[in-house]
């Protein structure tokens, strides 16, 4: 069903960049671990973000911390492989307390990303109380290849 866009969440389309980074896509905590670069291979608009992969650890594209009211939320984004080597991505979030990441919550991985088509990733989660969180897209270390992410949205479900 429908939902209401969360006003605190902006630049999910990766159209606004400053100093080589997408505005708002940097967490103060360890939740944001990926190397990001601008790409013109976009799902919508002019730009997407390339999230560099690593075979040694998952690399997360993290959004700046937001304090959200209790409720059920749905995050959604589009991803594709940046190379013929494929890729895998998972949506998720982590509570941030005193600048430290808590327990990570992941949605389902979207595996076998193609470099010719965009795939949709969605994750619906419930916060039982007002919580400060960092939303992220996790670039899996298996296969650990570069991926593209675009058109990230967060809605409060009705």
């Amino acid at each position: 069903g429908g939902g209401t866009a969360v006003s605190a969440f902006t630049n999910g389309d990766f159209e606004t960049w400053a100093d080589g980074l997408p505005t708002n896509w940097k967490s103060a905590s360890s939740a944001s671990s990926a190397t990001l670069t601008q790409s013109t291979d976009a799902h919508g608009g002019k730009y997407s973000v390339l999230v560099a992969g690593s075979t040694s650890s998952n690399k997360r594209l993290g959004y700046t911390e937001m304090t959200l009211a209790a409720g059920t939320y749905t995050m959604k984004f589009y991803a594709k492989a940046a190379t013929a080597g494929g890729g895998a991505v998972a949506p998720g979030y982590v509570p941030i307390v005193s600048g430290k990441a808590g327990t990570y919550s992941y949605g389902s991985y979207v595996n076998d990303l193609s470099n010719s088509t965009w795939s949709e990733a969605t994750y619906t989660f419930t916060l039982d109380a007002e919580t400060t969180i960092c939303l992220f897209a996790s670039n899996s270390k298996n296969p650990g290849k570069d991926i593209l992410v675009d058109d990230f949205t967060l809605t409060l479900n009705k």
Side-chain angles (χ1 to χ4, degrees), residues 11-90:
N11 200 37
D13 56 4
F14 300 99
E15 294 298 292
T16 308
W17 291 69
D19 300 322
L21 290 171
T23 302
N24 293 342
W25 287 95
K26 184 60 184 164
S27 162
S29 77
S30 57
S32 191
S33 58
T35 300
L36 310 178
T37 48
Q38 188 181 65
S39 172
T40 53
D41 183 351
H43 177 263
K46 292 182 181 173
Y47 304 114
S48 68
V49 60
L50 186 146
V51 182
S54 165
T55 54
S56 61
S57 66
N58 295 345
K59 295 295 179 182
R60 290 177 299 271
L61 163 69
Y63 190 76
T64 191
E65 292 77 10
M66 284 183 295
T67 300
L68 298 177
T72 299
Y73 295 84
T74 298
M75 52 190 286
K76 178 170 90 169
F77 60 84
Y78 293 88
K80 74 189 257 192
T83 69
V89 68

Side-chain angles (χ1 to χ4, degrees), residues 107-119:
S108 299
Y109 270 91
V110 179
N111 295 306
D112 304 317
L113 291 174
S114 154
N115 66 342
S116 56
T117 359
W118 290 88
S119 299

